[in-house]
Every structure is written in C-alpha cells, then in structure tokens.
Amino acid sequence: MLPALVGIAAAGAAGETRAQDCAGAPAPQSSTRWTADQLRNATTIIDVARTRSLPTRAAVIAVATAIQESDLHILDHGDRDSVGLFQQRPSQGWGASSQLMDSVYSSGKFYDALLEVPDWESRPLTEVAQAVQRSALPDAYAKWEQAASTLVADIWEEAPAPACDGEPALDPAGDFNVDNPRSPGQAVAAARAAAGQTGWYRLCDRFVAEAYGYAYSGAETANVHWNQLHAAGLTHPGDDTPPVGALLFYETGEAAGHVALYLGNELVASNDVLDSFPGEGKIAIVHRHELTGDQWRLRYRGWAEPAFPQAGGTARI
C-alpha cells in the first residue's frame, strides 16, 4: 500500500546536513516535512518512472527538481508562463498549460527530456536537472537530493511509515469483506511491482486476479466479473470514491469491458493503456481519469470489492 504521511528529515540539528551530489562536491542539504498533497504529487512522479521502467536515479532527479521548482505543488502560475510541478513553459514546447497541470503528463515530459541528457545517470544531479530545466538558478537543485532520495526510497519500495503530527495516513486500504490469498496492501504492491511488464493484452481481469494472488479470475470478461459481483451485492455503481485495493470497472463499447486496480491517490494499475504498439499489453500506472479522458473515453461503472468467486491457482506476479 502507499506510504503513510511522513516527515522527511534530511537535516541534522542545525537544519542542514551534507551529502555527496553524485560525482560532484558535497552539497548542503535542506530538510522539510511533507503534506498529503506533496506526497501525492511525489508518488505520481515516482510511479511514472516505474511505469517507464526507469531506474530510481531518474525518480530522484525528477523529485528533487519538482521540490525546487514548485515545492511539490501543482502551481497554476510561475515565472512568465511557467506552470505545474516542474514549472514547465508552454511557450518553450513542453505542452499546453492544461496538459502541464496534469502531474502524469508533466512528469512524462520531464523524463522525455531527462533521457536526452548525455550520461544523466552518472553526472551530478544539479547538472542534469539544469540541463533539462535551463533554470536561472542552476545550482539550486543539489540541496534537495537527500530529501528526494529518501522520498523515492520510501515510496518506491512501499516501505510503511508512521503518520506525523497526528495526520492520517494517505488513502488507507479498504476493509473488504472478502477473502483472497493477498491483502489489499499486498495486491497493490504486486501491481506496482508489475509495472512495465508486457504480455497482458486484453487480460485486465486476469491481471487484477493475479495481483490478489490467483492464477486466473474465473470470469470470462471484466463485464462478466462485474455482473457476478453485482449479483452478490459487492458493487458500488457510480461511486467515485473507491478505497485502495478496489476493482474499478468500465464500459468500453465492447462486450468484454475493462477493470483496473485502484492504488490510491487517484492512480490505477491497468494493462494496455500505455502500449508502445498494438498488442503489447504493458502494465502501467496512470491517473484513473486517463481511462475516461479523451484518448480512451471509457465509461466508469463503479467500484467493487475485490472478490473472485471462481478464481483459482497461484499468481505469477
């Protein structure tokens, strides 16, 4: 499941510590404590890296950059026409302002540019971030490397963390009245670990079943599965506030339908949605509104408890 709200302390008693900035000289490190909104945005940046099968170094660079540029907030303003997490400018070809306000899109554009930087994996973080951002403050990114590294380690590895300052954990897993080989938290972790896998073309119902520990779902299609769960009183038609671990069902205009696993923080794990070519069947982590947006235009049916009445076997993921 997603990490609870955490306080990242990259600093010592004086408010600063020093960390080696990759191959460069030690850089002063700043410390901070994250709000739920900031953690949600950091999680999106990290999930986009995982979906693209990028190394953790890419996520660290991206998160550090976003901390410096926006303090991990999706800003609708900035220097000149800069907007979003990375303060990217529509006038410089990053995309439309409305697109750059989408954290998944803006993260993807950042990684597109990052991969064009020569030797980005081995060069100092601040050099690489500056090569992407072309900031007026080229050395500003270094001080956030330790904080970003800690965030990435916590979120990437699904490490549980306590709440801070009495604030609640982010999107706790649902308390479902069903029995599966894996808990909702374990299912979410399995789905995240599967990000980037291919070979799942038109196997959405099997994917969510495997996330919960089964080899097969027992339903011929996602629509058949929905009907089974609806008859058992386990569906919530039209409810747009699913708990973590819920199955989200969609009408596609075809008989099969579609189902995705809700990860929390408005993200889902789904097959087929970011394929590089028809039939690739790649597992991706995306904002759930992408499924109902202009590209796919699926109609959301509602969410259901993760029950698999006729499932069996042992998952391969």
Side-chain angles (χ1 to χ4, degrees):
M1 59 185 292
L2 291 177
L5 189 61
V6 297
I8 303 297
E16 284 192 345
T17 187
R18 302 185 71 83
Q20 191 72 18
D21 181 19
C22 194
Q29 298 292 293
S30 295
S31 64
T32 189
R33 297 176 75 83
W34 308 115
T35 66
D37 180 65
Q38 289 171 308
L39 277 177
R40 185 175 297 112
N41 292 329
T43 298
T44 299
I45 295 169
I46 293 163
D47 281 338
V48 172
R50 293 185 59 163
T51 296
R52 290 178 167 221
S53 300
L54 296 175
T56 55
R57 181 66 178 168
V60 170
I61 295 169
V63 170
T65 301
I67 295 172
Q68 172 60 29
E69 297 290 353
S70 68
D71 200 24
L72 285 174
H73 293 297
I74 302 174
L75 303 178
D76 61 1
H77 60 278
D79 179 44
R80 286 169 281 189
D81 58 338
S82 301
V83 295
L85 280 172
F86 298 94
Q87 288 292 279
Q88 294 153 327
R89 298 180 60 191
S91 62
Q92 293 185 343
W94 289 98
S97 179
S98 59
Q99 292 175 309
L100 297 174
M101 292 292 289
D102 182 320
S103 56
V104 173
Y105 177 89
S106 64
S107 298
K109 295 298 286 186
F110 180 89
Y111 290 125
D112 287 344
L114 174 68
L115 296 177
E116 296 297 320
V117 178
D119 302 319
W120 66 267
E121 290 184 78
S122 58
R123 290 170 59 187
L125 180 148
T126 198
E127 285 186 12
V128 177
Q130 173 62 8
V132 174
Q133 298 292 109
R134 302 177 185 273
S135 169
L137 301 171
D139 300 320
Y141 305 103
K143 65 178 177 289
W144 299 113
E145 181 166 11
Q146 185 59 55
S149 296
T150 305
L151 268 174
V152 171
D154 283 345
I155 295 170
W156 193 292
E157 299 299 333
E158 302 301 327
C164 69
D165 296 335
E167 294 186 71
L170 293 181
D171 282 4
D175 183 16
F176 304 113
N177 189 28
V178 295
D179 193 15
N180 295 308
R182 292 176 182 159
S183 69
Q186 290 170 329
V188 166
R192 285 179 175 277
Q197 285 187 12
T198 58
W200 292 94
Y201 180 61
R202 299 181 72 89
L203 295 175
C204 60
D205 205 52
R206 176 176 167 181
F207 170 67
V208 296
E210 288 213 33
Y212 269 97
Y214 299 105
Y216 55 88
S217 73
E220 184 178 353
T221 66
N223 279 345
V224 169
H225 192 182
W226 169 268
N227 292 338
Q228 290 175 342
L229 301 186
H230 189 67
L234 297 174
T235 61
H236 300 261
D239 188 330
D240 205 34
T241 56
V244 171
L247 307 183
L248 307 191
F249 286 86
Y250 300 86
E251 289 185 358
T252 63
E254 299 180 354
H258 186 67
V259 61
L261 180 63
Y262 185 56
L263 307 178
N265 294 338
E266 298 300 293
L267 300 175
V268 296
S270 174
N271 62 315
D272 298 348
V273 294
L274 288 184
D275 284 2
S276 302
F277 54 86
E280 182 181 23
K282 182 165 63 176
I283 302 301
I285 297 173
V286 298
H287 195 291
R288 68 188 182 107
H289 292 157
E290 285 199 24
L291 301 183
T292 54
D294 289 341
Q295 180 176 2
W296 294 104
R297 303 183 182 219
L298 307 185
R299 190 176 78 80
Y300 176 62
R301 300 187 72 172
W303 66 269
E305 298 203 20
F308 302 87
Q310 298 174 344
T314 302
R316 64 189 174 103
I317 63 172

